[in-house]
Structures are given as C-alpha cells and as structure tokens.
Amino acid sequence: GREALLAKIEAYLAAHNTCALATGCGTQVRCTPIEYTYWQGRFWLLSEGGEKFRGLAGNANVSLAIFDPYTGFAALGGLQVTGRAQIVEPWTEDYCALLRRKKIPESALRQLDHPMYLIEITPVCYDFLHSDFKKEGLSPRQRLVL
C-alpha cells in the first residue's frame, strides 16, 4: 500500500544524499547536481547561488532525480520527484533548524559575505523505479502521488 511504498522511498532517500535538481522558466532550463537533506517529508538544499535561481524566481515547480549507477536491468534504482520549491529566508527558525540538523555552526555561516541560500522542496509526486519491486510481484515502476 501507500505507507509501504512511502517507507521504501524514504529508505532510498536516506541511503543517498545527492540529486540532480531541474529548474526552469521560459526558455531557461538548468539541471544542477546538489546535496540534499530529506527531513520532515521535504527536501532541503543549501546553495551559494547560481543559475538554478533564475528558474526558481519565475517557476516554483521543480524536479529532482536521485539514482544508482547503472549496472544492468537486474539492479535498477532511481527516483524522480516532482515538487514545489520555495526559498527559506536566512536565520529563520526553519533555516537555523536545518543548520543544526546538518551540524553546521550558525556562526560560520554568519561570517560569510553572503548567507547560504536554503531551498525547501515539498514533494508532490514520486516516480520510483527499482528492480526489487519485481521480487514482490510488482511492476518495477511505482508512482506515489502525495
């Protein structure tokens, strides 16, 4: 059921820490490899800035891809996430809570010329491709709409 699928998705997310974040607006599209923290049912990404923010400025819809290296059809593993992004203001409660969770001293970031940006992504849909589902008699591709 839904709860079992969500548990498998969350276990997969916990076993990884890097995604490809796709943002876009108008004709501008950007796909950026970036570290994530999955916490409280959302994705949290710290960033110094860059082209991805041009897309985020005009379009809150994003996609994340998290995947295993390809070694053959018998060991497929990949997760596509569709979600909505927002920028968390520096030094707010959520911002500081994420720093504590990642064990990043707030004082170190306050010394930077510009604060790190924090992107919060709320997932809307998961498309999970994993060969282990076949062992349970299921399709290797599972979808969970939140």
Side-chain angles (χ1 to χ4, degrees), residues 12 68 75-78 128-134 139-142:
Y12 188 83
D68 297 333
L76 294 175
F128 195 18
L129 175 65
H130 208 283
S131 50
D132 284 354
F133 288 125
K134 286 199 274 188
S139 166
R141 186 176 308 276
Q142 298 290 315

Side-chain angles (χ1 to χ4, degrees), residues 111-133:
Q111 292 175 7
L112 298 175
D113 290 339
H114 303 285
M116 295 283 283
Y117 297 99
L118 178 59
I119 305 166
E120 174 189 357
I121 299 171
T122 302
V124 174
C125 180
Y126 291 112
D127 287 299
F128 195 18
L129 175 65
H130 208 283
S131 50
D132 284 354
F133 288 125

Side-chain angles (χ1 to χ4, degrees), residues 62-112:
V62 298
S63 182
L64 305 174
I66 301 137
F67 48 91
D68 297 333
Y70 179 77
T71 59
F73 285 112
L76 294 175
L79 181 64
Q80 292 181 23
V81 183
T82 304
R84 297 208 30 99
Q86 68 176 9
I87 307 301
V88 178
E89 288 297 318
W91 321 124
T92 59
E93 187 176 325
D94 281 346
Y95 187 96
C96 293
L98 190 273
L99 295 182
R100 286 190 299 274
R101 177 156 187 90
K102 291 183 67 61
K103 296 178 176 45
I104 297 172
E106 186 180 321
S107 58
L109 288 191
R110 286 193 182 269
Q111 292 175 7
L112 298 175

Side-chain angles (χ1 to χ4, degrees), residues 17-87:
N17 69 352
T18 306
C19 68
L21 169 66
T23 62
C25 185
T27 60
Q28 190 269 339
V29 178
R30 186 72 170 182
C31 186
T32 307
I34 188 169
E35 180 189 13
Y36 69 83
T37 299
Y38 179 77
W39 178 49
Q40 297 179 330
R42 289 167 287 181
F43 295 85
W44 306 84
L45 298 80
L46 278 170
S47 174
E48 293 178 9
E51 292 288 318
K52 64 188 149 298
F53 287 92
R54 288 180 56 203
L56 290 173
N59 183 0
N61 296 300
V62 298
S63 182
L64 305 174
I66 301 137
F67 48 91
D68 297 333
Y70 179 77
T71 59
F73 285 112
L76 294 175
L79 181 64
Q80 292 181 23
V81 183
T82 304
R84 297 208 30 99
Q86 68 176 9
I87 307 301

